[in-house]
Amino acid sequence: MPTILIVDDEKNIREHLALYVRSLRHRAEVAPDATEALALLERHDPDVIFSDVRMAGMDGLALLREIRRRRPDAVVVLMTAYATVAEAVEAMRAGAYDYLVKPFSLDQVGLLLARVLEVQALRRENRALRRVLDEPAVLESASPAMARALATARQAAASDATLLLTGESGTGKNVLAAAMHAWSPRHAGPFVTISCTSLAEHLLESELFGHMKGAFTSAWKDKPGRLEAARGGTIFLDEVGDLPPELQGKLLRFLEEHRFERVGGSETIEVDARVVAATNRDLEADVRGGRFREDLYFRLNVIAIRLPPLRERAADLPALTDHVLASVSARHRRGPLVLAPEARRALAAYAWPGNVRELVNTLERAVVLSRGDTIRAEDLPDRLLEPPPAAPATPEAGLSLEDVERRHIVQVLAESSTLEDAAARLGINVTTLWRKRRRYGIE
């Protein structure tokens, strides 16, 4: 159950908001000031923090900075009755996820909270992958293809050149992007991620470029975009191949000039931010098919780095498995666990279509369900224990990459009991799976 911390010196506001949060089946903790909020932060480690800006003693911006110092990944939403663009920009630079202008409706809170908790789920997934890919044993891969990719990434990190990371879902493109930011001269600046698949088109434009009050129906206030929040740092565009055509031209202009206008605004904003993009799509095929702008493709493809799938990194699998198992065991407060020989053989024989993400999910399931200090074959998902399907006698010719992807998604959906299980097998999140089903007309 997610925990929400509400900080406001007005009792009616914090109690009313807490009542609503509890009605959404979340846990709510309340604090009248920053001092008590910091104490609750240590005891409960909340998923989301709503804080008033103007409070006696330590104000909301100071509290935000202290929370970010203690919990760098904390999601903080500020609440204020005196919103200005300057204050909003300062809040975003200090690390606020968003802010609400008083008086606000409970519907606004509910929508924002749903979006924030989805981001939190993605962050937990990213942290799991980061624990896998940030360790020296992984960054010094025994796979020649992965070793070349990592060497290129380290060298390119020192520059401001635009980077395009390619590879299948679940190969760790987002984690490598974060590592490159940490290796770069911009490491002291923010690392800001935006997923090009998780929001509707008009919301994606607003998230990326910001908007002015009244630009669209739900634009209750001026809001800086993620590009402004990335000033002096790195902006990571995840799944850039799914960027709607209407936004591709606006992104191209930013790559060329580092300038843009907010939605509904006329003021030109200039931002110094390095762009790293990632995609699991074949962008060259999308360019040929008219789905992706050729000029944008070449702007993104200054330095391209392909991350190989896990099936091409067989030499890395034993060390990767042991590292993930140790990390997951510690996270679930289990003692040291070992893999039985038959379980290790099943892991080695599996093709891992979901790549590192699927490996993490598989081992986490085994850690939770296993008894004792040994993970046995029966603790693994059934799909790892089934014999691999026989190859077709003759390959089907004339299929496009999208046809192959559609058929694979249909097959995985048919074999899975839930959407979550299908998404895990495909190595994508549920939102991305929903969008792919819509694109391909899969019921």
Side-chain angles (χ1 to χ4, degrees):
M1 178 186 295
T3 298
I4 315 300
L5 174 59
I6 301 159
V7 190
D8 200 301
D9 55 6
E10 294 187 36
K11 182 178 180 180
N12 287 342
I13 292 179
R14 65 176 182 266
E15 294 296 342
H16 188 55
L17 191 52
L19 184 65
Y20 175 68
V21 166
R22 292 175 184 128
S23 75
L24 298 176
R25 300 184 181 276
H26 305 320
R27 180 182 294 109
E29 298 290 337
V30 297
D33 54 42
T35 301
E36 188 168 337
L38 292 173
L40 289 171
L41 179 72
E42 297 302 322
R43 293 203 300 267
H44 297 285
D45 193 17
D47 297 274
V48 186
I49 301 156
F50 287 87
S51 173
D52 191 21
V53 172
R54 301 198 178 186
M55 298 183 293
M58 181 185 291
D59 67 12
L61 285 172
L63 175 60
L64 167 62
R65 295 187 181 96
E66 182 61 20
I67 290 172
R68 297 292 293 174
R69 187 183 71 80
R70 299 187 187 192
R71 299 282 193 277
D73 292 333
V75 172
V76 180
V77 177
L78 295 180
M79 304 180 291
T80 178
Y82 308 95
T84 65
V85 171
E87 187 179 71
V89 171
E90 183 180 1
M92 297 297 281
R93 286 180 179 174
Y97 179 82
D98 205 340
Y99 69 100
L100 292 168
V101 179
K102 298 178 181 179
F104 49 79
S105 69
L106 293 179
D107 285 341
Q108 286 176 254
V109 175
L111 290 171
L112 177 59
L113 194 54
R115 180 157 55 95
V116 169
L117 291 175
E118 181 180 2
V119 170
Q120 283 290 73
L122 291 173
R123 284 183 174 179
R124 284 193 292 270
E125 181 179 290
N126 289 346
R127 282 197 295 269
L129 286 173
R130 188 173 293 114
R131 278 189 289 270
V132 173
L133 291 180
D134 277 356
E135 290 293 321
V138 179
L139 295 179
E140 297 173 0
S141 172
S143 159
M146 188 65 174
R148 284 194 301 272
L150 292 170
T152 302
R154 285 187 179 274
Q155 184 174 354
S159 74
D160 271 345
T162 302
L163 292 156
L164 179 63
L165 306 181
T166 64
E168 297 177 6
S169 291
T171 50
K173 298 184 290 294
N174 52 346
V175 180
L176 183 59
M180 293 179 68
H181 172 71
W183 298 333
S184 77
R186 295 175 175 266
H187 65 274
F191 177 76
V192 178
T193 297
I194 185 163
S195 172
C196 298
T197 63
S198 61
L199 296 170
E201 182 179 326
H202 73 283
L203 294 177
L204 178 58
E205 183 178 15
S206 169
E207 282 291 303
L208 192 55
F209 298 102
H211 65 251
M212 303 302 292
K213 181 179 179 180
F216 46 87
T217 303
S218 57
W220 298 289
K221 61 184 182 298
D222 296 345
K223 179 185 175 184
R226 307 305 284 173
L227 282 176
E228 288 176 76
R231 192 187 305 271
T234 302
I235 182 79
F236 175 51
L237 303 176
D238 196 14
E239 299 304 346
V240 72
D242 290 315
L243 193 69
E246 292 76 10
L247 298 186
Q248 292 177 19
K250 198 166 182 178
L251 175 60
L252 175 64
R253 183 195 171 199
F254 175 73
L255 290 172
E256 292 176 336
E257 303 175 4
H258 288 274
R259 297 177 182 176
F260 61 92
E261 289 80 37
R262 292 181 184 157
V263 180
S266 58
E267 178 188 357
T268 298
I269 299 169
E270 187 168 347
V271 171
D272 173 29
R274 197 238 188 114
V275 175
V276 178
T279 183
N280 63 1
R281 297 175 63 87
D282 183 347
L283 287 189
E284 291 187 359
D286 285 346
V287 169
R288 291 193 297 270
R291 295 178 294 274
F292 201 83
R293 292 181 60 136
E294 184 177 35
D295 46 5
L296 176 57
Y297 170 68
F298 286 118
R299 273 289 176 182
L300 291 171
N301 196 32
V302 177
I303 298 176
I305 300 175
R306 174 186 176 269
L307 271 66
L310 194 51
R311 62 182 174 276
E312 294 179 10
R313 300 171 51 196
D316 290 339
L317 187 59
L320 196 56
T321 298
D322 291 339
H323 172 66
V324 174
L325 182 59
S327 298
V328 172
S329 299
R331 187 165 70 250
H332 288 280
R333 299 179 179 85
R334 296 288 303 271
L337 296 176
V338 297
L339 284 164
E342 69 273 12
R344 194 173 287 276
R345 284 194 294 270
L347 294 173
Y350 187 60
W352 298 109
N355 296 296
V356 177
R357 184 182 293 121
E358 186 182 9
L359 176 65
V360 172
N361 292 342
T362 296
L363 290 175
E364 183 163 21
R365 175 188 185 277
V367 166
V368 171
L369 297 181
S370 64
R371 297 179 176 85
D373 59 2
T374 301
I375 292 178
R376 306 190 180 281
E378 55 264 28
D379 298 320
L380 301 176
D382 290 342
R383 65 180 181 275
L384 270 72
L385 307 178
E386 297 170 353
T394 56
E396 294 179 282
L399 291 179
S400 68
L401 183 63
E402 290 194 348
D403 289 335
V404 173
E405 182 179 54
R406 186 186 188 282
R407 290 191 176 196
H408 182 55
I409 290 173
V410 169
Q411 179 180 348
V412 170
L413 285 169
E415 296 171 352
S416 304
S417 57
T418 66
L419 282 178
E420 289 76 10
D421 182 43
R425 294 184 61 181
L426 291 166
I428 57 180
N429 60 49
V430 175
T431 303
T432 302
L433 176 56
W434 179 84
R435 291 186 63 150
K436 288 181 180 292
R437 289 175 65 195
R438 186 177 64 175
R439 181 197 306 156
Y440 294 136
I442 301 173
E443 297 298 331

